[in-house]
C-alpha cells in the first residue's frame, strides 16, 4: 500500500521535529510542515496530503480556522484531506469548534508513536478518531455553546430523546441501533457481531445515517446521539482511549 501522505502543522519547531521523528520508519510520509494556520492552508492546497496533523492553538490563524479554510475551500477535484487535531484538551471550546469545522479526530500531543500511526491510518481511511473520555467532555459542555454543533443537521437539545421532534427520528429503528453503537465507540466488526449483521451491511447503514442526518463522519454521529440521548455516566471522565472507526470507509 502507498504511504499515507501527511502534513504536520504546529507553531513549535520542537513538536514538528518530534512528529517527524516519530513517523520515520512507518507507513507514513511527512510531505511538508507548517508553523501557522495561514501557511498550513497554503501547504495543504499545494501538497495535497492525505492527512493534516493540525495543532489547535497557534498565533495568528488558529488550527480551527485553518481546518475550516482547507475543507471548505479545497480547490482540487477528488477527496479533501482529513484533519487530525493535536491538542492538550485544556480548552474544550477549541475542540468543539474543530469538530464543527469538519475535523476527523483528536489526539493528545503526548500520544505514543504507535497510537499516532494508528490514528493517521484510521482517518486516512475515511473514519473518525475520538477518545471516549473526550466525547464525555464534549457532551458535558455542549449545552453552553450557542452555535449548532452540526450545521447541516438538526441541533439537538441534551436529553430530548427521540420523540416527535428528535433528530434521530429521521432514522429507521435499525439505523438508530447502529448509531447508538457507533456512539459507544464500537467498530463495524463489533457492531456486526452485536446485531448479527455483516460488516458490509453495517458500513452501508453507517453511510445511510451520515446521508440522512447530513453529517461528516462517525464522530459527529456519536456526538449527535450522545447529545440527544446522554448516557447515565456522561459526567464521568475516566476511560481508555478508543477509536470511533470501522474496518472500511465509514
Amino acid at each position: 500500500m502507498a504511504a499515507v501522505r501527511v502534513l504536520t502543522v504546529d507553531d513549535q519547531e520542537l513538536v514538528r521535529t518530534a512528529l517527524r521523528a516519530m513517523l520515520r520508519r512507518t507507513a507514513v510520509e511527512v510531505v511538508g510542515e507548517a508553523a501557522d494556520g495561514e501557511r498550513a492552508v497554503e501547504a495543504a492546497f499545494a501538497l495535497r496530503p492525505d492527512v493534516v496533523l493540525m495543532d489547535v492553538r497557534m498565533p495568528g490563524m488558529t488550527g480551527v480556522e485553518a481546518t475550516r479554510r482547507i475543507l471548505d475551500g479545497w480547490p482540487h477535484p477528488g477527496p479533501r484531506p482529513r484533519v487530525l487535531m493535536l491538542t492538550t484538551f485544556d480548552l474544550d471550546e477549541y475542540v468543539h469548534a474543530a469538530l464543527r469545522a469538519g475535523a476527523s479526530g483528536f489526539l493528545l500531543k503526548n500520544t505514543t508513536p504507535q497510537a499516532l500511526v494508528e490514528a493517521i491510518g484510521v482517518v486516512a481511511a475515511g473514519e473518525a478518531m475520538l477518545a471516549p473520555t473526550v466525547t464525555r467532555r464534549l457532551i458535558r459542555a455542549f449545552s453552553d455553546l450557542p452555535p449548532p454543533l452540526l450545521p447541516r443537521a438538526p441541533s439537538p437539545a441534551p436529553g430530548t430523546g427521540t420523540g416527535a421532534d428528535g433528530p434521530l427520528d429521521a432514522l429507521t429503528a435499525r439505523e438508530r441501533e447502529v448509531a447508538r453503537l457507533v456512539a459507544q465507540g464500537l467498530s463495524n466488526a463489533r457492531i456486526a457481531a452485536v446485531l448479527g449483521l455483516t460488516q458490509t451491511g453495517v458500513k452501508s447503514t453507517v453511510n445511510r445515517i451520515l446521508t440522512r442526518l447530513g453529517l461528516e463522519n462517525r464522530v459527529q454521529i456519536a456526538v449527535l446521539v450522545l447529545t440527544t440521548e446522554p448516557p447515565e455516566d456522561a459526567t464521568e471522565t475516566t476511560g481508555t482511549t478508543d477509536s470511533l472507526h470501522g474496518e472500511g470507509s465509514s
Side-chain angles (χ1 to χ4, degrees):
M1 294 178 60
V4 177
R5 303 174 73 255
V6 169
L7 169 68
T8 63
V9 182
D10 198 287
D11 60 312
Q12 298 183 39
E13 183 177 358
L14 183 61
V15 173
R16 298 196 307 273
T17 300
L19 287 171
R20 188 168 60 248
M22 289 172 68
L23 295 173
R24 191 176 297 141
R25 304 187 190 91
T26 72
V28 174
E29 177 188 1
V30 177
V31 297
E33 300 177 6
D36 57 53
E38 185 173 354
R39 291 192 181 106
V41 176
E42 295 173 354
F45 288 171
L47 298 172
R48 301 175 69 169
D50 301 310
V51 175
V52 179
L53 292 179
M54 181 79 74
D55 188 18
V56 173
R57 282 204 301 166
M58 294 179 289
M61 185 187 298
T62 66
V64 173
E65 179 60 25
T67 296
R68 183 178 296 109
R69 294 195 186 190
I70 290 171
L71 299 181
D72 290 348
W74 189 243
H76 305 293
R80 301 170 297 176
R82 299 283 173 162
V83 179
L84 187 57
M85 307 301 295
L86 297 174
T87 178
T88 58
F89 293 113
D90 58 350
L91 290 174
D92 282 329
E93 64 269 25
Y94 284 92
V95 178
H96 303 153
L99 183 56
R100 290 197 299 270
S104 293
F106 306 91
L107 273 186
L108 292 172
K109 285 188 175 180
N110 64 354
T111 191
T112 65
Q114 180 180 354
L116 175 61
V117 173
E118 177 188 358
I120 291 172
V122 166
V123 299
E127 306 300 340
M129 190 101 179
L130 185 63
T133 52
V134 178
T135 302
R136 296 185 185 103
R137 292 183 65 185
L138 288 169
I139 300 310
R140 287 206 311 277
F142 280 155
S143 59
D144 298 327
L145 297 176
L149 170 68
L150 308 171
R152 288 178 297 283
S155 181
T160 56
T162 54
D165 298 323
L168 299 184
D169 277 349
L171 305 179
T172 66
R174 174 65 79 190
E175 288 165 352
R176 285 197 295 272
E177 284 182 308
V178 171
R180 288 165 182 148
L181 293 176
V182 167
Q184 294 176 29
L186 272 63
S187 68
N188 285 355
R190 292 179 63 193
I191 293 173
V194 170
L195 298 180
L197 303 173
T198 65
Q199 291 187 47
T200 300
V202 173
K203 175 181 175 181
S204 297
T205 302
V206 171
N207 283 333
R208 287 199 302 273
I209 294 169
L210 294 172
T211 300
R212 288 181 190 276
L213 298 181
L215 307 181
E216 291 279 346
N217 54 49
R218 294 167 77 100
V219 169
Q220 292 186 346
I221 292 176
V223 170
L224 181 59
V225 171
L226 292 172
T227 309
T228 306
E229 302 175 338
E232 294 181 0
D233 65 345
T235 57
E236 297 298 324
T237 58
T238 59
T240 58
T241 300
D242 198 0
S243 61
L244 294 171
H245 71 280
E247 285 65 40
S249 179
S250 301

